[in-house]
């Protein structure tokens, strides 16, 4: 190209360029296919300024406008706004421009000094890069100090590993470290920041390594040209590797050579080494000791652990929530008013994915609320409790425990007025009480569900039942309204007639006792209802301590007699002396002066997952106490951590009366015995728990003469009397629809199921109210003696083992209908198989020659799990996530049995077709630190194969059959052994 033409083309390019982002000399050189120096020379001859100067005035004007609107805006904030307006600019450049226009800022700010007048003089003190990290001056301060030290360390900084649970902000920390490197001038302004997630290519190690290190032409099939990798692109900058634990061992080995020598080879190269200068920042959610090579780990000197959200203060969580709502307001160009109840729920619930989960839940909430704005001129959006996902609403169950902290942090509704200002303002002086107005809002929001014919009551009850507790405005409001609100709940459980009678009985008691605790009302109401039911059914009431109570508590017995006469007259039944003695015991236990001195049997509810706290909260609330304590062990939590938490609670509540442990299943069943020995406290454990059992346990514990053994024996005998027998007739099948507060919702669910689910004439759909049937678990178990219970559908999960539960919301959304169809089909298949008595389902259906490997030479636990789960996946028996679920279960508690047997298993939702994979070994392998196994059963079954699982369990606990299996040399020989079990 001739020089004149080049000059004309250069002028044309600059004339038509984006004034917000003018072309650099390098960019112009590429367009004209000439050198950068030639561009600079021609531009200077034409007296054209460089790209920075060409947009300087435009930028300064824009920055001044921003500062006029937001006088306290940080460098990060100014940069973010400029980027939104279309400017491609770094914080470092913004910082320099702010320094240039500093005098004008002073002149234009008569009442407030701009924060940029106090620019730090030391590089180490520059705070702007970490401004976006909430908690930078609080809980994250130690981590940020480490991050700064890593960047500033001569000459090239320290390679860093950031680890912590999912969603805690590892990527954000890495980005802030890069920003700090630019701001502190330890990296050039144009230094690259390359991000790579190792999980994206984890299933293809060769492709992963080629992305990172590049490759030479011909290195592998498809490598038609030489290609540079991300390591080369990160030269003189920072390479951020997320999920570093997914990097294969050979990749880690290449990296520690790169860290040591600063050089590497592309894939396929054998002679030529390439030199690079990079700072490596890696991130992982996994245990670095067991997931990274020791040689690689030793070469990363800086380790930064970011805490889970649960370990950070509520005030920081509040700021995070406020910030996310602000971002959504900007995105939607709408003002947002967030109910204080929503804010409290978001602060208190337990997001599995930490900060990332909170952001996702807030986005879902805002998306639901945004529907209200459609077609309206008003761009102000109100978000209340009805818009929250159910998992978030459950956070309000903790409100009683943290009410003081919440009232200090959340002083009213959160109002995001515009994109620049967030304030707190009291907008509503009344507590949230699930009013009809709110139901109308729910109805309008769920227009689609209404159109589909779903009853409005279903929508109302789903949300109402998820709350488990009502919300109060303040501590004073709680004290003023608690009796009334809980009384309303008791009316639903025991009936308004019982409540009215108990109120009259309390009036009699207060004539003699001036210091009765309010808990008497709740305890007496639930107890009287149960007693009345027994009397009208002609069932006896026996109090073994009758004579003792008459002698020791004559005053209370006398008052109780007068109270029982009122009840007898009102209910038209005669209460025996045994019942009067019970009332006297309640009177004695609820006298405040005795209550302070009295000791009770402790009650601790233990569960896997989010179950225990809900049951304990309901029991405490209905009985007006705070006696039941809960411990919940999440899937990713170590049993040792759960044991430590349980032991701490046991120390706080333990006394000579002992502690009753109500446990759902599995590894938690041994906690009571361990804690009892360590703390020298008497303990008893019941290996089954539901809400009604917790209520009954707390009620019994609050009696003045409560005895641990009597309590445990009583609860266990009640459970045994209604334990299910073998199913008599599987030709009779039933789907049970349940709701908490009445059969109306259950009836509506029945109608939906009848319309949408394929039912035959053998399947009955029944409705049931949890509150009208006090022990629903017992009723369902008794029913299962005569009929096959296919599934329970409803707004509350009664937690009955081996019976599938489908939430009402799933039926509404449609996913539950498909689930129910599958359960019906499974039930039919199982019934057809059981008609033929000769069919052995375990031997003929659940084991297969293709999924059985005998006398293998496998040498490690990981190799065994990988081998078997991959095999089940390849044959279509399980979903891809089955393997990850197996590892999670193993991390929680190794699935070891005596005799050298392991039963790794996963969540049944990842099972496509039931199967049990079998692996026997020539030589035992270590399964945990102290135990070896040589026989492995990979269990991939669902609820309908519980009988077959019992057979398997019986088999592995029988030394004769177990040895026969281990000695089997062929599949036919193995199957014959199993057929004989």
């Amino acid at each position: 190209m001739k020089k004149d033409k080049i000059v004309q083309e250069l002028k044309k390019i600059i004339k038509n360029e984006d004034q917000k982002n003018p072309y650099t000399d390098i960019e112009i050189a590429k367009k004209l296919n000439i050198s950068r120096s030639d561009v600079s020379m021609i531009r200077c001859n034409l007296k054209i300024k460089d790209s920075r100067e060409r947009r300087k005035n435009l930028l300064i004007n824009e920055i001044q406008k921003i500062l006029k609107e937001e006088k306290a805006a940080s460098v990060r904030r100014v940069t973010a706004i400029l980027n939104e307006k279309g400017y491609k600019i770094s914080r470092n450049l913004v910082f320099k421009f702010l320094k240039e226009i500093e005098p004008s800022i002073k002149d234009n700010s008569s009442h407030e000094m701009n924060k940029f007048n106090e620019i730090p003089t030391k590089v180490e003190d520059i705070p702007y890069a970490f401004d976006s990290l909430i908690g930078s001056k609080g809980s994250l301060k130690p981590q940020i100090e480490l991050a700064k030290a890593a960047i500033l360390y001569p000459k090239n900084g320290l390679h860093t590993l950031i680890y912590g649970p999912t969603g805690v902000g590892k990527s954000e920390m890495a980005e802030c470290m890069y920003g700090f490197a630019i701001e502190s001038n330890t990296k050039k302004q144009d230094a690259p920041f390359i991000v790579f997630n190792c999980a994206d290519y984890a299933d293809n190690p060769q492709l992963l390594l080629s992305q990172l290190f590049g490759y030479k032409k011909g290195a592998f099939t498809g490598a038609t040209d030489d290609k540079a990798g991300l390591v080369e692109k990160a030269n003189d900058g920072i390479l951020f590797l997320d999920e570093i634990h997914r990097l294969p061992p050979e990749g880690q080995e290449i990296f520690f050579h790169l860290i040591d020598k600063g050089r590497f080879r592309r894939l396929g190269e054998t002679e030529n080494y390439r030199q690079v200068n990079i700072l490596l920042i890696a991130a992982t959610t996994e245990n670095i000791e067991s997931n990274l090579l020791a040689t690689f780990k030793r070469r990363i000197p800086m380790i930064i652990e970011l805490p889970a959200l649960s370990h950070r203060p509520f005030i920081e969580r509040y700021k995070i929530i406020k910030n996310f709502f602000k971002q959504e307001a900007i995105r939607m160009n709408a003002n947002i008013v967030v109910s204080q109840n929503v804010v409290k729920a978001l602060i208190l619930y337990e997001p599995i994915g930490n900060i990332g989960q909170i952001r996702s839940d807030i986005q879902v909430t805002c998306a639901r609320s945004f529907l209200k704005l459609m077609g309206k001129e008003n761009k102000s959006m109100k978000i209340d409790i009805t818009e929250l996902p159910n998992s978030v609403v459950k956070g309000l169950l903790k409100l009683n425990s943290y009410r003081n902290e919440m009232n200090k942090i959340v002083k009213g509704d959160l109002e995001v007025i515009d994109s620049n200002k967030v304030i707190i303002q009291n907008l509503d002086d009344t507590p949230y009480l699930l009013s009809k107005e709110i139901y109308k809002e729910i109805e309008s929001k769920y227009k689609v569900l209404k159109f589909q014919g779903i009853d409005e009551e279903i929508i109302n009850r789903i949300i109402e039942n998820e709350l488990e507790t009502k919300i109060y405005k303040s501590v004073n409001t709680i004290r003023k309204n608690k009796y009334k609100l809980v009384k309303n709940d008791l009316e639903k459980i025991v009936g308004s007639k019982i409540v009215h009678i108990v109120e009259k009985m309390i009036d009699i008691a207060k004539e003699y006792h001036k210091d009765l605790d309010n808990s008497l009302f709740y305890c007496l109401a639930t107890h009287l209802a149960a007693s009345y039911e027994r009397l009208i059914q002609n069932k006896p009431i026996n109090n073994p301590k009758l004579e003792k109570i008459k002698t020791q508590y004559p005053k209370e017995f006398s008052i109780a007699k007068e109270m029982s006469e009122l009840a007898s007259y009102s209910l038209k039944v005669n209460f025996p002396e045994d019942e009067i003695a019970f009332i006297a015991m309640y009177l004695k236990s609820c006298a405040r002066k005795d209550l302070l001195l009295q000791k009770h049997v402790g009650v601790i509810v233990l569960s896997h997952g989010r179950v225990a706290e809900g049951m304990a909260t309901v029991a405490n609330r209905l009985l007006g106490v705070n006696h039941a304590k809960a411990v919940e062990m999440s899937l990713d939590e170590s049993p040792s951590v759960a044991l430590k938490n349980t032991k701490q609670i046991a120390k706080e509540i333990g006394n000579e009366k002992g502690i009753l442990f109500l446990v759902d299943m599995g590894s938690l069943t041994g906690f009571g015995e361990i804690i009892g020995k360590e703390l020298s406290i008497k303990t008893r454990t019941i290996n089954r728990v539901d809400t009604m059992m917790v209520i009954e346990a707390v009620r019994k514990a609050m009696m003045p003469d409560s005895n641990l053994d009597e309590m445990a024996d009583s609860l266990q005998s009640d459970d045994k009397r209604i334990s299910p027998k073998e199913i008599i007739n599987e030709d009779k099948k039933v789907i049970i629809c349940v709701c908490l507060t009445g059969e109306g919702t259950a009836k509506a669910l029945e109608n939906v199921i009848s319309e949408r689910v394929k039912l035959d004439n053998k399947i009955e759909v029944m409705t049931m109210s949890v509150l009208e049937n006090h022990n629903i678990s017992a009723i369902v178990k008794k029913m299962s003696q005569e009929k096959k219970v296919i599934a329970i559908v409803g707004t509350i999960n009664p937690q009955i083992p081996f019976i599938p539960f489908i939430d009402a919301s799933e039926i509404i959304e449609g996913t539950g209908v498909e689930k129910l169809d599958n359960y019906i089909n499974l039930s039919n298949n199982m019934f057809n198989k059981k008609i033929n008595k000769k069919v052995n389902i375990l031997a003929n259906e659940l084991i297969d020659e293709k999924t059985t490997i005998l006398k293998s030479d496998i040498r490690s636990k990981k190799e065994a799990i990988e081998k078997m789960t991959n095999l089940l996946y390849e044959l279509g028996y399980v979903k891809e996530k089955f393997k990850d679920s197996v590892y999670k279960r193993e991390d929680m508690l190794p699935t070891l049995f005596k005799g050298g047997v392991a039963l790794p298993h996963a969540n049944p939702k990842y099972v496509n077709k039931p199967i049990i994979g079998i692996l026997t070994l020539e030589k035992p392998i270590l399964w945990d630190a102290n135990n070896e196994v040589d026989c492995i059963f990979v269990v991939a079954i669902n609820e309908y194969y519980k009988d077959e699982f019992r057979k398997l369990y019986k088999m592995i606990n029988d030394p004769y059959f177990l040895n026969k299996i281990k000695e089997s040399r062929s599949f036919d020989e193995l199957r014959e052994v199993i057929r004989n079990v």
Side-chain angles (χ1 to χ4, degrees):
M1 189 183 295
K2 293 182 179 180
K3 185 176 180 179
D4 290 344
K5 191 171 183 181
I6 290 174
V7 171
Q8 294 305 315
E9 285 294 322
L10 188 146
K11 288 181 178 179
K12 185 177 178 181
I13 288 170
I14 293 177
K15 181 180 179 181
N16 296 325
E17 71 185 356
D18 179 4
Q19 293 184 1
K20 292 181 179 179
N21 302 291
Y23 291 117
T24 63
D25 288 355
I26 293 177
E27 291 171 329
I28 296 173
K30 287 181 179 178
K31 287 180 175 291
L32 297 176
N33 199 24
I34 61 177
S35 69
R36 175 185 175 179
S37 59
D38 287 341
V39 171
S40 299
M41 183 180 67
I42 295 171
R43 182 176 52 74
C44 290
N45 290 336
L46 294 172
K47 297 183 178 180
I48 297 175
K49 298 177 180 178
D50 63 23
S51 59
R52 184 179 184 276
E53 290 296 320
R54 292 204 298 278
R55 71 169 177 179
K56 180 177 179 180
N57 291 335
L58 185 65
L59 259 175
I60 288 177
N61 289 334
E62 199 71 68
I63 291 172
Q64 287 175 330
K65 288 180 184 178
I66 294 170
L67 295 177
K68 187 175 181 180
E69 294 179 7
E70 291 188 53
K71 295 182 175 61
S74 66
V75 174
R76 178 177 285 273
R77 174 64 180 154
V78 173
T79 307
I81 295 174
L82 289 172
N83 289 337
E84 287 175 9
K85 291 177 178 288
Y87 291 91
K88 296 176 182 178
I89 188 169
S90 69
R91 289 198 299 277
N92 189 46
L93 268 179
V94 172
F95 178 78
K96 290 178 180 178
F97 277 121
L98 285 166
K99 285 286 289 180
E100 290 184 32
I101 64 176
E102 183 181 347
S104 63
I105 297 174
K106 288 181 180 178
D107 294 340
N108 294 331
S109 296
S110 58
H111 65 282
E112 184 179 19
M113 183 68 72
N114 188 277
K115 70 186 292 182
F116 300 112
N117 294 336
E118 300 176 4
I119 302 295
T121 55
K122 295 180 181 179
V123 168
E124 293 89 335
D125 295 332
I126 297 176
Y128 309 117
F130 294 98
D131 272 358
S132 65
L133 289 182
I134 292 170
S136 59
K137 302 293 190 298
S139 65
L140 296 183
K141 188 174 181 180
Q143 287 82 358
I144 289 173
E145 292 303 317
L146 289 175
K148 288 181 178 181
I151 294 297
L152 296 171
Y153 193 86
K155 295 180 180 180
N156 189 46
L158 294 175
H159 301 297
T160 302
L161 177 63
I162 307 170
Y163 78 99
T166 300
V168 294
K170 296 183 290 294
S171 298
E172 289 76 6
M173 176 64 81
E175 289 177 10
C176 289
M177 290 175 70
Y178 169 70
F180 182 74
I182 300 297
E183 290 177 356
S184 61
N185 293 321
T186 55
K187 295 289 181 188
K188 294 180 181 179
Q189 179 192 325
D190 58 353
F193 179 62
I194 305 298
V195 179
F196 180 74
N197 191 319
C198 299
D200 292 342
Y201 298 93
D203 294 331
N204 191 331
Q206 186 184 53
L207 184 57
L208 188 154
L209 296 177
S210 69
Q211 290 289 321
L212 284 171
F213 301 107
Y215 53 81
K216 184 180 180 182
K217 180 179 178 181
F220 50 85
T221 303
T224 56
D225 295 294
D226 291 348
K227 182 181 178 181
L230 298 179
V231 168
E232 286 176 78
K233 294 179 181 179
N235 190 29
D236 292 328
I238 293 176
L239 174 63
F240 174 51
L241 297 182
D242 202 1
E243 299 198 59
I244 187 73
H245 59 277
R246 304 299 293 271
L247 185 66
E250 56 266 37
Q252 294 182 38
E253 289 172 357
I254 296 173
F255 261 110
F256 72 66
H257 182 76
L258 172 66
I259 291 170
D260 283 348
K261 306 294 184 182
R263 57 183 189 171
F264 72 101
R265 288 186 178 130
R266 293 179 181 177
L267 296 188
E269 288 183 334
T270 56
E271 298 178 0
N272 183 36
Y273 272 106
R274 299 175 183 273
Q275 199 76 27
V276 289
N277 176 37
I278 64 168
L279 177 62
L280 176 66
I281 301 177
T284 181
T285 58
E286 303 299 315
N287 186 314
I288 58 178
E289 298 299 328
S290 56
N291 287 276
L292 296 177
L293 294 176
T295 47
F296 176 65
K297 190 174 57 195
R298 283 198 300 268
R299 286 163 172 81
I300 302 183
M302 182 62 76
I303 308 292
I304 300 176
E305 180 181 6
L306 293 184
L309 196 60
S310 58
H311 296 153
R312 297 178 62 179
F314 284 146
I315 186 63
E316 289 182 6
R317 187 153 169 169
Y318 172 70
K319 290 177 181 178
I320 290 167
I321 292 164
K322 187 167 70 169
N323 187 51
F324 284 151
F325 273 117
K326 185 176 181 181
Q327 291 178 19
E328 294 308 305
I330 294 171
R331 287 177 60 200
M332 294 184 292
N333 190 29
N335 295 338
I336 298 178
V337 178
V338 187
S339 159
Q340 62 174 313
N341 302 311
V342 170
V343 178
K344 290 175 182 177
L346 284 164
I347 292 174
L348 291 172
Y349 88 116
E350 297 181 22
I352 297 173
N354 291 288
I355 298 172
Q357 181 73 50
I358 286 184
R359 179 167 194 170
S360 174
D361 287 334
I362 286 176
Q363 287 178 335
V364 168
T365 299
C366 289
R368 289 176 175 177
S369 299
F370 189 70
L371 292 174
K372 296 178 182 178
L373 292 180
M374 302 301 290
K376 295 183 179 180
E377 294 183 4
N378 178 22
K379 290 297 181 183
S380 183
M381 189 168 75
K382 179 69 183 286
I383 296 178
D384 59 38
I385 207 77
T386 62
E387 271 82 32
L388 284 178
N390 291 341
S391 59
V392 180
V393 176
K394 289 179 181 177
L396 292 172
L397 293 173
K398 297 182 179 180
L399 190 55
N400 281 338
S401 301
Y402 299 103
R403 193 172 299 281
N404 290 336
E405 293 97 316
M406 289 301 99
N407 288 337
K408 289 177 183 177
I409 296 170
V410 185
K411 301 185 185 303
D413 291 354
L414 171 67
E415 186 175 4
V416 184
I417 292 180
D418 54 40
S419 63
N420 298 323
K421 189 176 181 183
V422 179
I423 65 168
I424 293 294
Q425 178 177 319
N426 287 308
L427 298 175
D428 189 356
D429 291 330
T430 59
Y432 173 75
L433 292 175
L434 289 176
S435 64
K436 292 181 180 179
E437 288 72 22
I438 291 175
Y439 289 154
K440 289 177 182 178
E441 289 181 19
I442 298 170
E443 181 185 3
S444 65
K445 182 173 54 131
Y446 291 127
K447 285 182 180 178
V448 175
L449 297 177
K450 186 77 171 175
F451 178 75
Q452 292 176 349
I454 306 301
D455 193 279
E456 180 184 349
E457 186 180 5
I458 296 176
I459 302 170
N460 295 344
R461 294 303 185 191
I462 288 171
I463 297 172
E464 182 178 6
N465 297 338
E466 285 291 327
L467 293 180
E468 292 287 359
T469 184
K470 293 203 170 57
I471 312 304
Y472 309 122
K473 178 70 176 177
S474 64
V475 173
N476 291 332
T477 310
I478 298 166
R479 290 172 178 165
K480 196 186 306 179
N481 292 325
K482 181 180 177 184
Y483 176 84
K484 177 183 176 183
L485 291 173
V486 180
K487 188 190 89 171
N488 292 338
D489 290 335
L490 279 172
E491 285 180 348
K492 297 172 186 175
I493 296 176
V494 303
S496 57
K497 188 175 184 180
I498 293 287
V499 169
H500 179 71
I501 292 168
V502 171
E503 286 177 329
K504 299 291 185 183
M505 293 170 71
I506 296 291
D507 288 342
I508 293 174
K510 285 184 175 179
E511 292 179 11
Y512 301 95
H513 259 302
K514 303 298 182 184
D515 60 346
L516 287 172
D517 188 82
N518 283 341
S519 59
L520 175 62
F521 174 79
Y522 316 119
C523 292
L524 197 55
T526 54
H527 177 76
L528 190 68
S531 301
Y532 174 63
E533 186 176 346
R534 290 188 69 84
L535 289 172
I536 61 175
Q537 294 175 1
N538 294 318
K539 294 181 180 179
I541 293 176
N542 297 311
N543 190 329
K545 295 187 174 67
L546 172 60
E547 297 304 322
K548 183 178 179 181
I549 290 166
K550 279 183 172 182
T551 304
Q552 293 187 352
Y553 312 138
K555 179 182 177 183
E556 283 77 12
F557 190 83
S558 175
I559 300 169
K561 189 173 183 180
E562 188 175 341
M563 294 167 70
S564 69
E565 289 172 356
L566 170 65
S568 296
Y569 175 79
S570 302
L571 294 172
K572 305 294 188 290
V573 293
N574 291 319
F575 284 97
E577 282 194 326
D578 296 80
E579 174 59 25
I580 297 171
F582 277 119
I583 297 173
M585 292 168 70
Y586 282 120
L587 280 172
K588 182 67 177 175
S589 67
C590 291
R592 284 200 184 99
K593 63 181 180 182
D594 294 332
L595 201 63
L596 296 174
L597 302 173
Q598 206 170 76
K599 293 180 179 179
H600 304 280
V601 173
V603 177
I604 298 180
V605 187
L606 297 165
S607 74
H608 293 81
R610 314 300 179 203
V611 178
E613 189 167 330
M615 291 189 287
T617 300
V618 171
N620 286 334
R621 180 165 165 259
L622 291 178
L623 297 175
V625 296
N626 188 29
H627 193 70
K629 305 299 179 183
V631 177
E632 297 175 338
M633 187 172 95
S634 61
L635 290 177
D636 57 353
E637 185 179 356
S638 165
S640 60
V641 175
L643 177 59
K644 182 180 178 181
N645 295 337
T646 309
K647 192 188 302 179
Q648 182 58 42
I649 292 175
K651 284 181 181 178
E652 294 171 2
I653 70 170
N655 58 67
E656 61 269 20
K657 285 209 165 188
I659 300 175
L660 177 66
F661 290 83
L662 302 175
V663 183
D664 65 348
M665 60 176 178
S667 58
L668 302 173
T669 55
F671 280 18
E673 184 177 353
I674 295 170
I675 291 170
K677 289 179 180 177
E678 290 189 15
L679 302 182
S680 298
I681 296 174
K682 187 175 181 180
T683 63
R684 286 284 299 271
T685 300
I686 296 180
N687 299 330
R688 192 190 74 76
V689 61
D690 58 39
T691 303
M692 296 311 297
M693 180 179 281
V694 179
I695 293 173
E696 187 66 9
V698 173
R699 187 174 70 80
K700 290 177 183 292
M702 298 311 296
M703 292 182 178
D705 292 327
S706 60
N707 176 279
L708 175 60
D709 289 327
E710 289 179 4
M711 278 177 58
D713 292 341
S714 171
L715 292 169
Q716 284 180 324
S717 63
D718 287 345
D719 193 35
K720 286 176 183 175
R721 282 198 297 272
I722 48 88
S723 61
K725 301 175 183 176
E726 290 298 319
I727 297 170
I728 294 173
N729 186 357
E730 288 211 30
D731 199 31
K732 294 180 180 180
K733 301 174 184 176
V734 62
I735 298 169
I736 301 175
C737 299
V738 300
C739 69
L740 180 67
T741 54
E743 292 193 8
T745 303
K747 190 70 179 174
L749 278 172
E750 178 190 10
N751 295 335
V752 174
I753 291 170
S754 299
E755 292 174 6
R756 300 186 187 180
V757 180
K758 299 173 184 177
L759 303 174
D760 57 41
N761 54 11
K762 297 176 182 177
I763 301 176
E764 177 187 3
V765 183
M766 293 183 60
T767 62
M768 196 176 293
S769 163
V770 174
L771 300 186
E772 291 177 11
N773 300 280
H774 291 190
N775 197 340
I776 192 168
S777 299
I779 294 170
V780 173
K781 285 183 177 182
K782 189 173 182 180
M783 187 184 299
S784 67
Q785 296 175 20
E786 301 175 356
K787 302 176 182 180
K788 174 64 179 177
V789 181
I790 294 173
I792 296 174
V793 181
T795 57
I796 185 169
N797 187 352
Q799 304 286 338
I800 302 175
F802 298 115
I803 297 181
F805 173 76
I806 303 174
D807 194 275
S809 61
E810 294 181 79
I811 295 292
I812 293 171
E813 294 164 359
T815 56
V817 173
E818 184 180 352
K819 273 188 184 180
L820 199 49
D821 281 331
N822 289 336
Y823 287 137
I824 291 170
N825 292 334
L826 277 169
S827 176
N828 290 337
N829 292 338
M830 290 299 298
F831 174 65
N832 292 333
K833 291 170 184 174
K834 288 181 179 179
I835 289 176
N836 184 353
K837 300 291 183 180
K838 295 181 180 179
V839 172
N840 185 322
I841 295 172
L842 178 61
N844 294 349
E845 303 287 341
L846 292 181
I847 65 170
D848 189 278
E849 189 169 5
K850 294 177 183 177
T851 59
T852 301
I853 302 173
L854 303 178
K855 298 300 180 181
S856 171
D857 60 354
I858 282 173
R859 289 289 178 264
S860 72
K861 175 181 177 179
K862 183 176 182 181
E863 187 181 355
I865 292 176
E866 292 284 332
K867 178 78 174 177
M868 294 305 294
T869 54
N870 287 341
L871 180 61
L872 298 188
Y873 173 64
E874 289 166 5
L875 293 174
Y877 285 102
V878 299
K879 295 179 171 62
E880 188 175 2
K881 291 185 177 180
F882 181 86
K883 181 196 298 183
D884 290 339
S885 184
V886 167
Y887 277 121
K888 285 182 179 178
R889 292 283 172 96
E890 286 295 320
D891 289 341
M892 183 172 68
L893 189 72
T895 49
L896 279 164
F897 287 79
K898 62 183 180 181
V901 178
L903 264 72
H905 57 282
N907 191 317
K909 71 180 181 181
Y910 300 126
V911 175
N912 293 326
K913 181 182 176 184
I915 194 71
I916 296 175
I918 302 176
L919 173 67
T920 64
L921 306 174
E922 286 282 5
K923 294 181 180 180
I925 59 174
L926 274 177
W927 202 256
D928 65 9
N930 303 309
N931 296 283
E932 292 184 331
V933 303
D934 57 0
C935 188
I936 301 160
F937 297 88
V938 181
V939 181
I941 61 176
N942 54 40
E943 297 93 336
Y944 282 96
Y945 290 86
K946 59 180 180 292
D947 291 338
E948 282 61 46
F949 182 79
R950 289 192 187 104
K951 287 182 183 178
L952 176 65
Y953 184 78
K954 178 181 178 182
M955 181 176 66
I956 64 176
N957 280 282
D958 188 315
Y960 172 79
F961 285 112
L962 185 57
N963 287 333
K964 285 286 186 183
I965 287 174
K966 292 181 179 181
E967 293 170 1
S968 298
R969 292 284 173 178
S970 70
F971 178 72
D972 290 337
E973 187 180 339
L974 172 74
R975 174 178 282 172
E976 193 59 34
V977 174
I978 295 175
R979 278 177 176 161
N980 291 325
V981 175

